[in-house]
Amino acid sequence: MRIRVRMRARPIDEPHRVASPLELLFDLTFVVAVAAVTAQFAHAIVEGHAAGGIAPFLQVFFAIWWAWMNFTWFASSYDTDDVGYRVLTMVQMAGVLVLAAGVPVAAEHADYGFVTLGYVIMRIGLVLLWLRAASGDPARRRTALRYAAGISVVTAGWLYHSVLAPVSAELPLFVVLALLELAVPLWAERERPTTWHPHHIAERYGLFTIILLGESVLAVSRGVAAAMEAGEVGGRFVVVAVSGLVVLFALWWLYFLVEAGDGLSGRRDRSYLWGYGHYGIFAALAALGAGLEAATEEGGHGVAGPLTSGYAVAIPVAVFLLLLGAVYRLIAARPAVPPLVLWAFAAVVAALPVAAPWIGVHGVVAAIAVSCVLLVTATIVMTGSVAARARGDRADRADRADRAVT
């Protein structure tokens, strides 16, 4: 165990760079936070308050996502795995758990005190890490100090938002502070970019995607438990549960069609749009978990109407498809799925809940599952055709070269 290691920038092209056990433990604490915010949003949907639950869900999820993302990119550049690094990372984990404990109060009473406290604890840990980086990496000292200063100033703004801001100004102030948070990396990296590792970042984002898909499975299981407790398990209930799992499998398949690490390696200048665009992708997956839980309960004993429950599943799936095409178009030389195909399927999925009064929520979720399976099938066919053409082109070039030599 290394007591203290000078915090130098890690190489961009470091071979075999993978997520560390500490990063995996870090992600585990976010499982708790995501589960809490998903459960609260599902409760709002089931009780018929979906519209009122959207803003608290997006605000709390922004805090979760942004704290996770900030540490992930820092660790990609400066992971020393010494005692100080581990302790400050664990401080951030503690902040995540405090934030998760405050989610029910925030959702039910719009009291963001504990959420803000947890967020501030996480930011303190990260600021101290940036100060360590400033001390250990003279070449990027100003970059690290800009990060530390920017994070500190915006964190003070969050404290004002939670303690002193009038109720009427809370939402506008949240938007302003969120934009300032997004601006800090753009401002800090202008001095001298950090040395984040593209394949490490791609792996970390993929792992968080899997966490969110797992949360959706957990949400479905909560809905199953609630329906079974009410003794109202029937054919519609089974259709919703099975179709929900099929949707999750299809979205997993689509997300991992593209090797993001290779794309980020050649297009580092697009990393901001790619990384920031994942807020929508991750939020859509978390919201899908809440929607599937509500739809499962609606299939059994839930009080939400089929139209509301249908849209709670369809909108997140449609948003996921649209944003997935957008972020991978930024880094992929040739999209695995043509954007027009994704847009067409997203439009179909978004329109399906209109039929809920006639086919029920179970019919809507089943139709969404069928649409996702058709989309995956189309990608398999298109990918296979592209690969076959590529093999044919290589064979033709080799044949022409042989004839030229002859």
Side-chain angles (χ1 to χ4, degrees), residues 247-326:
V247 170
L248 297 177
F249 296 155
L251 298 188
W252 171 87
W253 194 302
L254 293 170
Y255 183 87
F256 289 100
L257 277 173
V258 175
E259 174 50 58
D262 292 339
L264 288 170
S265 296
R267 297 173 173 84
R268 292 179 72 88
D269 59 315
R270 300 184 180 182
S271 60
Y272 291 106
L273 291 176
W274 184 85
Y276 288 0
H278 271 75
Y279 169 68
I281 291 176
F282 290 161
L285 289 176
L288 175 60
L292 287 173
E293 181 175 350
T296 305
E297 293 196 38
E298 174 63 28
H301 78 288
V303 299
L307 187 64
T308 299
S309 298
Y311 273 118
V313 176
I315 291 177
V317 172
V319 170
F320 176 89
L321 295 178
L322 291 173
L323 291 179
L324 184 67

Side-chain angles (χ1 to χ4, degrees), residues 353-372:
V354 174
W358 297 277
I359 64 176
V361 67
H362 63 290
V364 171
V365 179
I368 293 172
V370 170
S371 300
C372 291

Side-chain angles (χ1 to χ4, degrees), residues 40 56 137 140 170 172 181 199 219 232 273 276 282 304 326 330 337 358 376:
Q40 288 300 316
D137 186 10
R140 294 171 181 79
E170 285 184 352
E181 289 276 23
H199 290 279
E232 298 181 7
L273 291 176
Y276 288 0
F282 290 161
L330 293 168
V337 186
W358 297 277
V376 170

